[in-house]
Structures are given as structure tokens and as C-alpha cells.
């Protein structure tokens, strides 16, 4: 049996509609307020975004490096807060025991070390594979092979991210706290459906980017009318709002996809290569 994009989208919207009130409150606490507060407290974020808009890769990398070196502890704290929120929301919408909000957040707090460890392992795998491919291409001295190595590295990165994308729901919903086993479970669940799942993620990502760009442009112009300080405050509010919306959708998408793949895993199906 194959992963069905239409069913995944309908299940996502169903989860969102049934849990919208609670998800909105939790998203405000764990995603909107921390991110908006960070944007307001760290003016360098604005400089980094301006560098990104300029399109100069070296300038962007310099700004990102400087920002992370100076505020690494803030990024770590933000990752912990958002990790607890993400895992808690996943447990809330899909745990079979129907936990209370407090129980779901407690699950998120217990699970966040496993989630972060899984993310670090995934990042390490991507870095190792990409570095090997890029290094081989560079050592040949041929620009065409270097470019080809970069393309292959990008494709493999997308593949790995897709295959391991269900680690968070495996941890939060199934209660698997071993990060290696969570990654293995995600890899196993998506077997035979990697391309379909990647297409689903790609369509959602493109749609979100387009809508986010329009919303940012419109609200940015509105806040710009209030002057420089109003524009900075507006940028923080809009960024925090989009961050919260993104995570709410991410939770519902991951929960819906995990549910469908869990059903597929228990159904008889022929062997498939992905």
C-alpha cells in the first residue's frame, strides 16, 4: 500500500480543526512569545535577515556565525523550549491515553533530550555524507564534478531528512526515548513511500513559503507606517506569528503522516525499494 497525500492532508486539517484552541494557546506560549521576544531582544537578527535579503552568501554566513557565537545559549534555550512545545503538542493530539495538557507537556519535557539527540545524529549523518561528496568533487579539480557532487549531496540530504522526519512523533506518540531506535523506526515506517512523502512535504513547504512571503510583505508595510521602531516591533511580531503557525501545521502534519504510516505498517504490502 502507498502513502496517500490526499488522506494525509484531510487528516492534518481534521487534527487542526479538532485541537485548534489548545494548539493555538500552546503555540503562543512555546513558539510565538519566545521567538518574538528573541527578535526584539537581539537586534542582530534584523541585520542577519537584511544580509539574507541581499543574497550575498559570504555576508550571510558571517552574520549567522557571529550571531550563533554570541548568542549560542539563547539558541539552545529556544531549542529546548520549542522542543518541549513540539513534543507536547504531538502527544496531546495523538496519544491514545488522551492526556491532559499538563501530562502532554510533561511528556514533552521528558522526551526533549531524546529529540535533541536524534536531531544531532541526523545532522551529523547529513554533514558526513555531504562533506564526503563535496570533498571528492573538489579533489578532482573539475568544476563539473564539484557541481555534480553538490547536487548529489543536496538530493541525499533531502532523502535523509524525509526518511527521518517521523522521529519526533515516534518519540512523542509511541514513547520511544532511544534516539537511535526512533530514527530507525522512522526509516522503517517510510520504506517504499519516500518519494510520495517528499512530494507531500515539498508541496506544503512551497505553499507555506508563498503565503508567508505575502503576509510578511503586507503586514511589514502596515507596521512600517509607524516608523522605524514600529517596523522593528512589527517584524518581531510577524516573525513570531509565522513561527507559531509553522509549528502548529508541522505538528498536525507529522501526527497525520505518522498515523497513516503506522496503519500501513500493520497492513500486508509487497516489498518495495525506495
Amino acid at each position: 500500500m502507498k502513502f496517500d497525500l490526499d488522506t494525509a492532508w484531510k487528516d492534518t486539517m481534521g487534527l487542526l480543526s479538532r485541537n485548534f484552541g489548545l494548539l493555538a494557546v500552546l503555540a503562543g506560549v512555546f513558539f510565538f512569545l519566545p521567538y518574538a521576544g528573541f527578535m526584539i531582544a537581539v537586534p542582530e537578527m534584523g541585520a542577519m535577515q537584511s544580509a539574507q535579503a541581499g543574497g550575498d552568501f559570504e555576508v550571510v554566513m558571517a552574520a549567522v556565525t557571529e550571531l550563533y557565537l554570541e548568542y549560542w545559549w539563547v539558541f539552545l534555550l529556544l531549542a529546548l523550549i520549542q522542543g518541549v512545545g513540539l513534543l507536547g503538542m504531538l502527544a496531546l493530539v495523538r496519544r491514545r491515553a488522551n492526556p491532559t495538557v499538563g501530562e502532554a507537556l510533561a511528556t514533552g519535557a521528558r522526551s526533549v533530550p531524546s529529540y535533541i539527540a536524534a536531531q544531532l545524529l541526523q545532522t551529523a549523518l547529513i554533514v558526513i555524507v555531504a562533506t564526503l561528496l563535496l570533498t571528492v568533487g573538489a579533489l578532482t579539480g573539475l568544476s563539473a564534478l564539484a557541481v555534480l557532487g553538490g547536487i548529489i549531496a543536496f538530493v541525499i540530504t533531502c532523502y535523509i531528512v524525509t526518511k527521518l522526519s517521523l522521529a519526533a512523533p515516534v518519540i512523542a506518540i509511541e514513547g520511544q526515548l532511544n534516539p537511535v531506535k526512533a530514527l530507525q523506526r522512522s526509516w522503517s515506517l517510510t520504506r517504499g513511500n519516500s518519494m510520495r512523502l517528499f512530494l507531500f512535504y515539498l508541496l506544503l513547504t512551497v505553499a507555506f513559503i508563498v503565503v508567508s512571503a505575502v503576509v510578511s510583505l503586507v503586514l511589514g508595510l502596515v507596521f512600517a507606517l509607524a516608523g522605524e521602531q514600529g517596523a522593528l516591533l512589527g517584524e518581531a511580531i510577524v516573525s513570531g506569528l509565522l513561527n507559531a503557525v509553522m509549528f502548529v501545521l508541522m505538528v498536525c502534519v507529522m501526527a497525520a503522516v505518522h498515523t497513516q504510516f503506522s496503519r500501513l505498517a500493520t497492513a500486508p504490502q509487497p516489498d518495495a525499494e525506495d
Side-chain angles (χ1 to χ4, degrees), residues 74-234:
V74 179
F75 284 104
L76 177 60
L77 181 61
L78 195 63
L80 290 172
I81 293 173
Q82 295 193 340
V84 171
L86 174 67
L87 296 168
M89 290 161 70
L90 280 169
L92 184 67
V93 299
R94 272 306 185 200
R95 277 261 178 163
R96 292 183 179 180
N98 295 321
T100 63
V101 174
E103 291 170 342
L105 293 179
T107 297
R110 289 194 304 270
S111 305
V112 74
S114 300
Y115 171 70
I116 291 178
Q119 292 297 303
L120 291 175
L121 289 173
Q122 175 180 311
T123 301
L125 177 61
I126 291 172
V127 169
I128 291 171
V129 173
T131 300
L132 286 175
L133 288 170
L134 293 174
T135 300
V136 170
L139 289 176
T140 62
L142 299 175
S143 58
L145 288 180
V147 172
L148 179 60
I151 294 174
I152 295 175
F154 175 75
V155 171
I156 293 179
T157 296
C158 292
Y159 178 76
I160 293 174
V161 171
T162 301
K163 293 289 292 180
L164 302 181
S165 62
L166 298 184
V170 167
I171 292 171
I173 299 173
E174 298 184 13
Q176 176 56 261
L177 297 183
N178 185 317
V180 175
K181 290 184 177 180
L183 294 173
Q184 291 174 338
R185 169 69 171 163
S186 177
W187 194 282
S188 176
L189 283 174
T190 56
R191 182 177 296 118
N193 287 286
S194 301
M195 287 303 300
R196 287 173 174 264
L197 182 58
F198 173 73
L199 178 60
F200 183 60
Y201 288 155
L202 179 63
L203 292 173
L204 293 180
T205 300
V206 171
F208 183 79
I209 289 174
V210 171
V211 174
S212 298
V214 173
V215 172
S216 298
L217 178 62
V218 173
L219 294 182
L221 291 174
V222 172
F223 282 109
L225 297 176
E228 182 178 353
Q229 293 301 317
L232 292 175
L233 177 61

Side-chain angles (χ1 to χ4, degrees), residues 25-80:
V25 171
L26 292 176
V29 173
F30 286 94
F31 303 110
F32 172 73
L33 290 177
Y35 194 82
F38 179 59
M39 290 285 294
I40 294 173
V42 182
E44 289 85 351
M45 281 292 292
M48 187 183 73
Q49 293 184 346
S50 298
Q52 290 175 334
D56 190 322
F57 179 76
E58 292 185 359
V59 173
V60 171
M61 289 305 298
V64 170
T65 301
E66 182 179 355
L67 190 66
Y68 272 89
L69 288 176
E70 185 173 358
Y71 296 102
W72 63 269
W73 59 275
V74 179
F75 284 104
L76 177 60
L77 181 61
L78 195 63
L80 290 172

